[in-house]
Amino acid sequence: MRIVLAGTGSAVGKTTISTGIMKVLSKKYKVQPFKIGPDYIDPTYHTLATGNTSRNLDSFFMDDDQIRTSFKRGLKASNSDIGIIEGVRGLYEGLSPINDVGNSASIAKALNSPVILIMNARSLVKSAAAIVLGFKHLDPEINIEGVILNKVKGKRHFLKAKESIEKLTNTKVIGAIPRDESLAVDERHLGLVPALEKEKIAGNIEKWADVVEEYIDLDALIEIMKSSSNIKGKNTELWKIANKNPLKIGVAFDEVFNFYYKENLESLEDNNAKIIYFSPYKDEKIPDADALYIGGGYPEVFKKELSANESMLKSIKKFSDDGNPIYGECGGLIYLSKAIDREKMVNNLPYNSFMTQKVQGLSYVIAKSLSDNLISKKGEVFRGHEFHYTKIDTQNGKPNFAFEILRGKGIANNKDGIILNNTLANFIHVHACSCPNFAYNFTKNSTES
């Protein structure tokens, strides 16, 4: 069974409602959560709600066979009965105003999944039916089987909007969430506050689940999911599996660094790596490892705490000075820099980083490798994404860049990926499905270093 919970647009309550549904259904079923698009934060809510790590599905990173294989892999890994997939932005919002690359509709079509449309119904009655009708008629391949109304004023409003939608669009309204400002989610510059940071978020999810249980017809939702037809298409290899030499990779994972695709870690494990988690925030030193992977997160928010942990900074710097491989992505890049807003960091890369008021990179990325490096070979083209408010000051230096940015911004002058000694650090977030040699190259190069 599966369902795509898609919005008519952004900020219609997708994450609140989706997470609440996941939490409620987890009481009876094994639920595997998914998030469409390059999002690390919403999945932390899904994971907390279900106890299963949420996975990303993205048609910019994956072809249809990879989408289907990754979906099935997720269900199998958690031994789940149900796949619940939260959409991104509006159902049809993607890279192009015409095609489906990067949107929720592409995932629904690849998985042959029914769709529930979530709508902000504030001040809407008959117009709500017009919106549903437009979404249904724009692409007849999309199977919109139900509607959830959000921010409904009261019972009278709900009944009128329900009658309008059901009679004029022949689509069942399976729920209506009342207006309640207490259901709002805390945000910061990259989106929602990750669930790993705040204990109260667990309480929020319980509240969302209570609201869902009261105001959504879950039996109707289950019946719609049961109507899912078979997933067509073939299983495919998601990434290269060839490294035979065992190794240990220390992965930074805590309140600060937690932006990782599950598939990236699994691809490393498939290539004979043992993942050892550590906290640059709380631990005194790195673990016994052959290589380090420092992913994205919010080091700019925790810069004073990270700077105060001098023993960890020295431990990472010594690991690098000894010639060991380190791979950093976005937050990992600025943590490896000389300083963040003058708060000293690892100083593995001799460049200062600083926060800005405006977003510096927000894009899907296509990159080409300019030389052999820790994760790719010269000439390889791969995809990823970037989203950051930080900048790296490289004006007085001559960094050796690993990647030419064919789409996106990178660090400077359409270049990204600073190589220094055996470190590679970039603003690009890589997904293993869009860079299928990522794990093989990383593990192979780490065992040979």
Side-chain angles (χ1 to χ4, degrees), residues 50-263:
T50 64
N52 292 321
T53 302
S54 186
R55 296 166 178 265
N56 296 73
L57 300 170
D58 191 305
S59 57
F60 181 78
F61 296 153
M62 308 171 178
D63 61 32
D64 284 355
D65 285 330
Q66 286 180 311
I67 291 167
R68 290 185 276 260
T69 302
S70 188
F71 178 79
K72 293 175 184 176
R73 181 186 177 102
L75 289 180
K76 183 177 180 181
S78 61
N79 192 29
S80 292
D81 312 294
I82 291 176
I84 298 180
I85 307 158
E86 181 191 344
V88 58
R89 298 191 290 167
L91 172 61
Y92 295 112
E93 255 54 74
L95 279 181
S96 165
I98 299 172
N99 67 38
D100 285 333
V101 175
N103 70 12
S104 299
S106 62
I107 304 301
K109 285 198 273 193
L111 296 176
N112 201 17
S113 174
V115 173
I116 300 293
L117 196 61
I118 299 172
M119 177 192 308
N120 181 345
R122 185 183 288 270
S123 303
L124 298 178
V125 177
K126 189 176 181 181
S127 294
I131 292 169
V132 174
L133 208 56
F135 272 81
K136 293 187 75 167
H137 284 188
L138 183 64
D139 188 344
E141 289 186 53
I142 300 296
N143 186 20
I144 298 174
E145 287 290 326
V147 175
I148 295 174
L149 303 175
N150 196 15
K151 299 187 182 298
V152 173
K153 187 175 182 180
K155 186 174 181 180
R156 186 167 178 268
H157 179 200
F158 163 57
L159 291 175
K160 290 175 71 175
K162 182 177 188 293
E163 180 182 8
S164 174
I165 292 169
E166 292 188 342
K167 288 188 175 179
L168 297 177
T169 76
N170 193 32
T171 309
K172 186 176 179 63
V173 176
I174 67 167
I177 308 296
R179 297 175 194 174
D180 185 349
E181 295 305 318
S182 70
L183 298 177
V185 189
D186 293 341
E187 296 190 38
R188 66 160 65 115
H189 56 282
L190 297 182
L192 305 183
V193 174
L196 285 167
E197 277 188 44
K198 294 204 170 184
E199 292 182 5
K200 75 171 190 176
I201 288 176
N204 289 346
I205 291 174
E206 290 288 350
K207 182 175 182 178
W208 303 343
D210 291 342
V211 170
V212 161
E213 201 159 22
E214 182 175 359
Y215 292 103
I216 293 179
D217 186 344
L218 295 170
D219 290 334
L221 178 62
I222 292 294
E223 287 304 310
I224 290 171
M225 284 195 280
K226 285 181 178 178
S227 71
S228 306
S229 35
N230 292 334
I231 297 176
K232 301 174 182 177
K234 61 182 180 179
N235 289 334
T236 189
E237 186 179 81
L238 295 176
W239 44 72
K240 185 176 180 178
I241 301 172
N243 181 55
K244 303 298 183 184
N245 299 316
L247 76 159
K248 294 176 286 187
I249 297 180
V251 174
F253 194 91
D254 54 19
E255 296 93 330
V256 185
F257 300 98
N258 48 68
F259 292 1
Y260 298 93
Y261 292 120
K262 179 67 170 174
E263 290 80 3

Side-chain angles (χ1 to χ4, degrees), residues 165-427:
I165 292 169
E166 292 188 342
K167 288 188 175 179
L168 297 177
T169 76
N170 193 32
T171 309
K172 186 176 179 63
V173 176
I174 67 167
I177 308 296
R179 297 175 194 174
D180 185 349
E181 295 305 318
S182 70
L183 298 177
V185 189
D186 293 341
E187 296 190 38
R188 66 160 65 115
H189 56 282
L190 297 182
L192 305 183
V193 174
L196 285 167
E197 277 188 44
K198 294 204 170 184
E199 292 182 5
K200 75 171 190 176
I201 288 176
N204 289 346
I205 291 174
E206 290 288 350
K207 182 175 182 178
W208 303 343
D210 291 342
V211 170
V212 161
E213 201 159 22
E214 182 175 359
Y215 292 103
I216 293 179
D217 186 344
L218 295 170
D219 290 334
L221 178 62
I222 292 294
E223 287 304 310
I224 290 171
M225 284 195 280
K226 285 181 178 178
S227 71
S228 306
S229 35
N230 292 334
I231 297 176
K232 301 174 182 177
K234 61 182 180 179
N235 289 334
T236 189
E237 186 179 81
L238 295 176
W239 44 72
K240 185 176 180 178
I241 301 172
N243 181 55
K244 303 298 183 184
N245 299 316
L247 76 159
K248 294 176 286 187
I249 297 180
V251 174
F253 194 91
D254 54 19
E255 296 93 330
V256 185
F257 300 98
N258 48 68
F259 292 1
Y260 298 93
Y261 292 120
K262 179 67 170 174
E263 290 80 3
N264 284 23
L265 302 177
E266 288 180 340
S267 67
L268 293 170
E269 290 173 327
D270 285 351
N271 276 281
N272 228 3
K274 178 182 179 181
I275 303 297
I276 304 172
Y277 295 104
F278 73 100
S279 171
Y281 179 32
K282 296 178 179 177
D283 295 341
E284 293 184 0
K285 62 181 182 179
I286 62 172
D288 177 25
D290 301 296
L292 298 182
Y293 181 4
I294 306 175
Y298 284 108
E300 66 272 24
V301 174
F302 294 86
K303 58 193 175 189
K304 291 185 182 298
E305 292 87 346
L306 292 171
S307 184
N309 192 352
E310 293 187 10
S311 64
M312 175 58 73
L313 299 178
K314 291 177 180 177
S315 177
I316 295 174
K317 183 67 164 64
K318 184 179 186 306
F319 186 82
S320 172
D321 290 345
D322 289 343
N324 296 298
I326 302 176
Y327 175 59
E329 286 184 340
C330 200
L333 164 65
I334 63 173
Y335 179 59
L336 292 169
S337 72
K338 188 175 182 180
I340 302 174
D341 298 331
R342 298 185 179 179
E343 296 286 348
K344 64 181 180 181
M345 293 293 132
V346 176
N347 196 21
N348 196 20
L349 305 175
Y351 308 105
N352 290 311
S353 59
F354 54 93
M355 274 289 289
T356 68
Q357 294 299 313
K358 295 182 179 180
V359 64
Q360 297 299 312
L362 175 55
S363 178
Y364 279 120
V365 173
I366 300 175
K368 182 178 182 180
S369 298
L370 297 170
S371 61
D372 290 354
N373 57 76
L374 196 57
I375 67 167
S376 61
K377 296 292 186 182
K378 181 178 180 179
E380 284 188 37
V381 176
F382 61 91
R383 298 184 173 204
H385 79 279
E386 57 185 356
F387 186 14
H388 58 95
Y389 282 71
T390 49
K391 292 185 74 172
I392 300 287
D393 183 4
T394 60
Q395 291 184 353
N396 296 323
K398 294 182 179 180
N400 177 20
F401 286 116
F403 311 123
E404 178 184 1
I405 302 301
L406 306 179
R407 185 185 197 280
K409 292 186 67 174
I411 293 174
N413 302 317
N414 294 114
K415 300 290 191 302
D416 204 347
I418 297 175
I419 301 174
L420 186 61
N421 298 325
N422 213 2
T423 290
L424 169 65
N426 35 263
F427 274 130

